[in-house]
Amino acid sequence: MEIKALHPLFTAEDIQARVVALGKEIDATYGNESLVAVGVLKGASIFFADLVRAISKPRVELDFVRLASYGNEDVSSAEVVMSKSVDTDLGGKHVLLIEDIIDTGHSMAFLQKFFLSCNVASLRIAVLVDKHERRQAAIEADFVGFQLSEGFIVGYGLDYAEQCRNLPGLYTAELASS
Ligand code: IMP
Ligand code: MG
């Protein structure tokens, strides 16, 4: 399958407005607590970079995890593994997990289980796109950029076969067999 067309969904300006609003929500939620922001590579990298800079508190540590799945080119599979873990000892810390998209919810369910096993003080989830169409695991994000019911979304870090991550806006990808 290849990308036949990209249909604009949210502009870079639309996204920045949501990111700024999420930063304020995060500020209000954590008050003066320090936190560790953990980004999920690679998809959340661009959202992560913008969102952490929308948090006004200086006591924010940054870390990353990376997921892989067996037998599936995207990570929308029940068999998720972590190919890179955090460097930080998260015990007793407030962790804000930053992800690009929740689709089936399997990736986030896996991450939630992992972080809770690290004896964190609290775990919250920020997600750019909360997509409900294929949800299988009961996952609720605390901070949501955009709610969508359907479609395959690319841009602003999200890819189709590693393409389109660099686009500043979000698009619905129309796919066609070549
Ligand atoms: P889940 O485990 O099904 O919730 O899938 C989450 C992961 O699948 C995301 O982190 C993305 O890497 C990928 N994914 C799911 N839907 C999309 C999409 O619409 N565009 C790009 N990647 C997606
Ligand atoms: Mg991802």
Side-chain angles (χ1 to χ4, degrees), residues 88-103:
T88 321
D89 177 2
L90 297 177
K93 297 195 176 161
H94 295 286
V95 173
L96 176 63
L97 195 50
I98 301 180
E99 175 60 309
D100 55 356
I101 187 164
I102 302 178
D103 183 15

Side-chain angles (χ1 to χ4, degrees), residues 7-176:
H7 303 288
L9 195 56
F10 298 108
T11 65
E13 291 73 25
D14 296 334
I15 297 167
Q16 277 320 299
R18 283 304 298 143
V19 166
V20 167
L22 291 179
K24 291 194 173 117
E25 282 181 41
I26 292 166
D27 277 338
T29 300
Y30 287 94
N32 287 321
E33 296 278 12
S34 54
L35 66 130
V36 185
V38 179
V40 185
L41 296 171
K42 301 174 198 174
S45 57
I46 293 175
F47 177 49
F48 179 92
D50 284 344
L51 187 60
V52 296
R53 289 179 295 171
I55 301 172
S56 67
K57 307 286 183 296
R59 296 171 64 184
V60 180
E61 286 179 58
L62 309 184
D63 212 331
F64 297 94
V65 292
R66 180 150 190 204
L67 297 183
S69 69
Y70 289 121
N72 198 331
E73 66 173 24
D74 67 26
V75 184
S76 293
S77 143
E79 278 186 85
V80 185
V81 293
M82 199 178 279
S83 59
K84 183 227 173 295
S85 188
V86 287
D87 302 321
T88 321
D89 177 2
L90 297 177
K93 297 195 176 161
H94 295 286
V95 173
L96 176 63
L97 195 50
I98 301 180
E99 175 60 309
D100 55 356
I101 187 164
I102 302 178
D103 183 15
T104 63
H106 290 308
S107 307
M108 198 45 90
F110 171 89
L111 288 167
Q112 216 171 30
K113 199 170 152 201
F114 170 79
F115 285 106
L116 292 175
S117 78
C118 296
N119 299 313
V120 296
S122 70
L123 178 66
R124 291 190 178 87
I125 297 167
V127 67
L128 177 68
V129 176
D130 188 3
K131 195 169 75 173
H132 298 281
E133 187 184 17
R134 303 199 297 165
R135 189 64 47 87
Q136 289 170 6
I139 292 291
E140 292 292 334
D142 301 275
F143 309 100
V144 176
F146 301 100
Q147 300 269 5
L148 288 179
S149 53
E150 59 186 8
F152 195 83
I153 315 307
V154 296
Y156 196 68
L158 288 101
D159 74 308
Y160 175 71
E162 296 299 326
Q163 296 171 65
C164 301
R165 292 194 197 274
N166 60 308
L167 301 177
L170 279 170
Y171 297 80
T172 303
E174 190 182 328
L175 303 174

